[in-house]
Amino acid sequence: MVAKKGGNRGEDAEDELKREPLQAILLADSFATKFRPITLERPKVLLPLVNVPMIDYTLAWLESAGVEEVFVFCCAHSKQVIDYLKNSKWFGQPNFAVSTIESHDSISAGDALRLIYERHVINGDFILVTGDTVSNMPLIQALKEHKERRRKDNNAVMTIVIKQSKPSSITNQSRLGTEELFMAIDPGTKQLLYYEDKADDRKGTISLDKGLLMDNASISLHNDKQDCYIDICSPEVLSLFTDNFDYQHLRRHFVKGLLVDDIMGYKIFTHEIHASYAARIDNYRSYDTISKDIIQRWTYPLVPDVQFFGNCASKLERRGMYRASEVGLSRSAQIGPFTVIGNGTSIGSNTEISDSVVGEDCVIGSNVSIEGCYIWNNVTIENGCKLRHAIVCDGVIMKSGAVLEPGAVLSFKVVVGQQFIVPAYSKVSLLQQPVIKDSDEELEYDDNSSGIIGIPSISSTPEKLNDQFGTKLSDSQRRAGSEVGDGGVGFIWSLGEGGHEEEWRHSVAPIPADKLIEIIRTATDELEISNQDGNFLPPSGELEPDSVDNDSDEDARDDYSYFEKEVEATFLRAVHENVKEDHIILEVNALRYVIYFTI
């Protein structure tokens, strides 16, 4: 069990917090489709994160932070979640009660909170969190600040947890693969005044209401903060959702709705953490990032070599390698740094594994190369296979010589044929890709609760296809046995509306160098067009200082042209010389500073 966090037990503030049991609502449904096709068969909160179901990290943190009662809201695949919790050690813990609330027709977080309000189970301030959250932050200080504000102002209904996270200057994404977030905060009171993610406005500009500037003596505008999706809420939050059925998404509807509501006057505040860790798994890239953070021990004590509910502790060896007690490892096999090998797995001769997580009871043959991958449980990888930055789910079989290119995802029990190359960013599943999309696509929380109903699946061998489908077998289903090579079984899904860009932005694979070059070229071209049009006015309409003349504009354009050429040369060299991504970023940032000081 993870040790309890907190300050001196004799402090008055903590005694006050302990007067009533601290409750939490855990949303075990993400109401999103970003992890399809995997989540058509298993709920996201039960997917393994460094060989431990995601929900166990969230529950372990809540228990260690002093929460005494957790209500787990289940919708999609609710039976799987309920059965898992009933069979786990979370049920029956002293001073930590876990119970489930089930729904079959909720399609959003708003629906979930309205249902919970009707159950009358929340008695006071509560923690609102999703079941894909990893954190080790103590809650004492944040709760103290929230309650002190509530005593002074009943309209202070929510405190959201944030932390520093500067987005990439090239992709405008955070390290978690989320879009750049703009927040305006009162630096004195920490009140949230403005909240906008760049997904809603890709023009690179934001607009602040004049009233906001007039009503606040000081405003701090940030694009370097990460929303941890950990909220401390008053009971009024639930009633607000009940009063307004337009509130579906927690941030896009509820938070933004309160910020622009001048009638009721409800307020949201922020609590920034610095030394602690908190992050939410929103997409495949954040899955990769948070996995690496766990392996590199930023989430301590929620790490592979510490026993907590749901995990089998591994031994930490040199260079950040974790190995379970019963692993069959050939002497000629090479296990690189920051790798986790699960219990009961065997690894053949001359196989190389690095920066990867391998689950339990896997069989990995000889001369296999695995880099930056997530191999779940009971996976068979035959001789001579190559895998780069991919996800391989339970029960998958990769036959000899098969190759997984970066960004590929193999869902449960897929079979990849001999010598077959799975293209980059492909998703392969035994379930055929749904034709009918969800009806409410503008919601982030839009996954329906019956995702696999009506979606035909195929059995584990090509010979059984006709037995399962009979005369109703479609042409695509007949081709399923050959879509992934000789002896393979699985459907290759087509790309979504976002195309390749959506895939490489949110993939477990590093962003390709040619894509980074393309982004820089596009940004530079737009800058040159803007300069040629003489559009130097900022969006607010403020005039340029008189000291800025045409000569300086020409010099600036020359400097940006030089910067573009230098960056392009840097990326081309990186591709040819196989330079690491971190080194590329350092070089590009160095070039930016050179241009900045030159200008």
Side-chain angles (χ1 to χ4, degrees):
M1 184 182 298
V2 179
K4 300 275 186 182
K5 291 178 176 284
N8 188 336
R9 293 290 177 181
E11 294 182 358
D12 293 339
E14 185 169 348
D15 289 341
E16 182 178 350
L17 296 177
K18 292 294 183 180
R19 288 177 183 172
E20 60 183 25
L22 180 58
Q23 297 176 304
I25 294 175
L26 186 155
L27 300 178
D29 194 327
S30 64
F31 301 102
T33 60
K34 295 179 181 178
F35 274 77
R36 285 191 177 184
I38 299 174
T39 50
L40 289 177
E41 301 181 69
R42 183 181 297 178
K44 181 182 173 185
V45 297
L46 295 187
L47 302 184
L49 181 69
V50 193
N51 293 340
V52 177
M54 293 182 190
I55 196 172
D56 283 339
Y57 288 96
T58 311
L59 289 171
W61 164 62
L62 291 173
E63 188 270 341
S64 70
V67 174
E68 297 175 64
E69 188 174 20
V70 181
F71 297 96
V72 180
F73 179 85
C74 312
C75 190
H77 305 295
S78 57
K79 187 177 186 304
Q80 290 188 43
V81 177
I82 293 171
D83 288 346
Y84 174 79
L85 291 174
K86 284 183 177 179
N87 295 324
S88 72
K89 296 181 180 179
W90 291 116
F91 273 31
Q93 287 298 314
N95 302 319
F96 188 67
V98 177
S99 56
T100 58
I101 296 177
E102 186 178 11
S103 171
H104 296 289
D105 53 8
S106 296
I107 63 169
S108 70
D111 287 345
L113 295 180
R114 281 183 279 272
L115 178 60
I116 293 173
Y117 176 78
E118 294 173 358
R119 300 290 179 92
H120 303 290
V121 294
I122 299 299
N123 303 317
D125 293 338
F126 63 95
I127 311 300
L128 178 60
V129 68
T130 54
D132 49 13
T133 300
V134 178
S135 180
N136 59 11
M137 69 167 285
L139 287 172
I140 292 296
Q141 185 60 33
L143 280 166
K144 178 183 176 182
E145 293 174 3
H146 177 79
K147 289 181 177 291
E148 287 178 349
R149 282 192 290 263
R150 286 280 292 165
R151 279 197 296 266
K152 298 175 183 177
D153 185 354
N154 285 331
N155 284 337
V157 296
M158 176 183 278
T159 300
I160 67 174
V161 177
I162 61 174
K163 67 177 299 184
Q164 187 86 9
S165 180
K166 190 173 183 179
S168 166
S169 59
I170 299 176
T171 63
N172 294 322
Q173 281 186 308
S174 72
R175 61 191 296 269
L176 297 176
T178 54
E179 298 297 334
E180 186 175 16
L181 175 64
F182 293 95
M183 305 176 77
I185 300 172
D186 186 317
T189 64
K190 306 303 180 185
Q191 181 181 349
L192 181 66
L193 304 173
Y194 180 88
Y195 186 103
E196 190 74 59
D197 57 52
K198 202 172 180 180
D200 291 341
D201 186 2
R202 293 183 177 273
K203 297 179 180 179
T205 63
I206 60 173
S207 299
L208 295 180
D209 187 83
K210 291 182 179 180
L212 185 67
L213 302 176
M214 294 175 63
D215 295 339
N216 296 275
S218 179
I219 293 178
S220 179
L221 185 61
H222 299 273
N223 74 332
D224 60 348
K225 303 299 181 187
Q226 169 195 323
D227 187 348
C228 301
Y229 278 86
I230 296 172
D231 303 329
I232 302 173
C233 305
S234 70
E236 285 84 350
V237 167
L238 296 179
S239 62
L240 286 172
F241 273 95
T242 302
D243 294 339
N244 193 330
F245 279 82
D246 290 334
Y247 290 160
Q248 300 290 340
H249 186 277
L250 286 173
R251 294 299 187 258
R252 192 175 306 153
H253 298 148
F254 179 73
V255 169
K256 291 184 180 181
L258 293 193
L259 292 179
V260 299
D261 186 356
D262 296 330
I263 299 176
M264 302 302 295
Y266 290 114
K267 300 175 184 177
I268 300 173
F269 291 83
T270 61
H271 174 80
E272 185 170 0
I273 58 175
H274 301 281
S276 303
Y277 186 91
R280 177 187 172 216
I281 302 163
D282 179 68
N283 51 58
Y284 287 120
R285 186 167 300 284
S286 54
Y287 178 91
D288 174 65
T289 300
I290 295 173
S291 296
K292 287 179 168 59
D293 291 342
I294 293 171
I295 294 171
Q296 296 175 20
R297 309 182 71 78
W298 293 103
T299 61
Y300 187 86
L302 304 179
V303 291
D305 61 318
V306 175
Q307 181 76 44
F308 63 92
F309 291 118
N311 75 322
C312 179
S314 302
K315 180 181 179 181
L316 175 60
E317 302 182 357
R318 62 188 182 92
R319 299 194 301 166
M321 198 268 277
Y322 299 84
R323 181 165 56 172
S325 57
E326 298 181 9
V327 173
L329 183 65
S330 171
R331 289 188 176 182
S332 59
Q334 298 183 22
I335 308 300
F338 303 117
T339 296
V340 179
I341 307 297
N343 206 40
T345 289
S346 62
I347 301 172
S349 59
N350 299 313
T351 287
E352 298 181 358
I353 305 176
S354 63
D355 296 303
S356 299
V357 177
V358 181
E360 297 182 355
D361 301 316
C362 295
V363 178
I364 301 176
S366 301
N367 300 305
V368 173
S369 176
I370 301 175
E371 179 185 355
C373 293
Y374 299 93
I375 315 297
W376 294 359
N377 300 326
N378 300 295
V379 172
T380 299
I381 302 176
E382 297 182 357
N383 299 341
C385 291
K386 298 184 183 299
L387 299 82
R388 295 286 182 275
H389 303 288
I391 293 178
V392 181
C393 296
D394 295 358
V396 166
I397 298 175
M398 290 187 63
K399 297 194 174 182
S400 59
V403 175
L404 278 189
E405 292 192 338
V409 175
L410 303 184
S411 194
F412 301 98
K413 297 184 179 180
V414 163
V415 180
V416 180
Q418 291 184 4
Q419 307 293 326
F420 185 80
I421 299 176
V422 179
Y425 310 112
S426 296
K427 293 180 174 64
V428 186
S429 174
L430 296 189
L431 300 178
Q432 193 172 8
Q433 188 168 9
V435 176
I436 301 176
K437 298 182 180 179
D438 296 319
S439 60
D440 205 353
E441 292 181 335
E442 74 273 9
L443 298 179
E444 178 183 321
Y445 298 88
D446 63 355
D447 201 1
N448 61 65
S449 61
S450 56
I452 64 173
I453 293 178
I455 301 174
S457 64
I458 53 181
S459 53
S460 57
T461 58
E463 292 77 9
K464 295 182 180 180
L465 285 175
N466 287 326
D467 294 338
Q468 182 173 352
F469 288 98
T471 58
K472 296 183 179 180
L473 195 65
S474 67
D475 291 339
S476 61
Q477 290 161 348
R478 293 180 188 278
R479 293 194 304 269
S482 59
E483 278 193 23
V484 283
D486 185 22
V489 183
F491 294 104
I492 297 181
W493 285 30
S494 60
L495 296 177
E497 292 181 359
H500 274 101
E501 179 176 355
E502 182 74 13
E503 299 300 329
W504 59 254
R505 278 185 175 274
H506 295 149
S507 169
V508 297
I511 297 178
D514 62 324
K515 297 298 182 183
L516 294 175
I517 294 174
E518 181 181 335
I519 293 173
I520 294 173
R521 282 177 174 170
T522 301
T524 306
D525 290 343
E526 291 176 353
L527 178 64
E528 289 180 350
I529 293 173
S530 177
N531 289 347
Q532 290 170 3
D533 293 340
N535 184 21
F536 295 103
L537 290 178
S540 63
E542 294 177 359
L543 296 176
E544 290 182 307
D546 294 337
S547 59
V548 179
D549 56 24
N550 291 333
D551 291 337
S552 63
D553 295 338
E554 293 291 341
D555 293 338
R557 285 195 288 270
D558 291 339
D559 287 327
Y560 281 116
S561 178
Y562 169 79
F563 173 73
E564 178 190 13
K565 292 178 181 178
E566 287 296 314
V567 170
E568 183 175 348
T570 299
F571 278 111
L572 289 175
R573 179 177 58 81
V575 172
H576 293 304
E577 299 178 9
N578 197 26
V579 179
K580 291 185 176 180
E581 181 183 357
D582 291 342
H583 295 171
I584 301 173
I585 294 173
L586 287 175
E587 290 190 37
V588 172
N589 284 334
L591 285 172
R592 289 175 60 233
Y593 286 120
V594 169
I595 294 298
Y596 175 83
F597 287 114
T598 301
I599 294 175

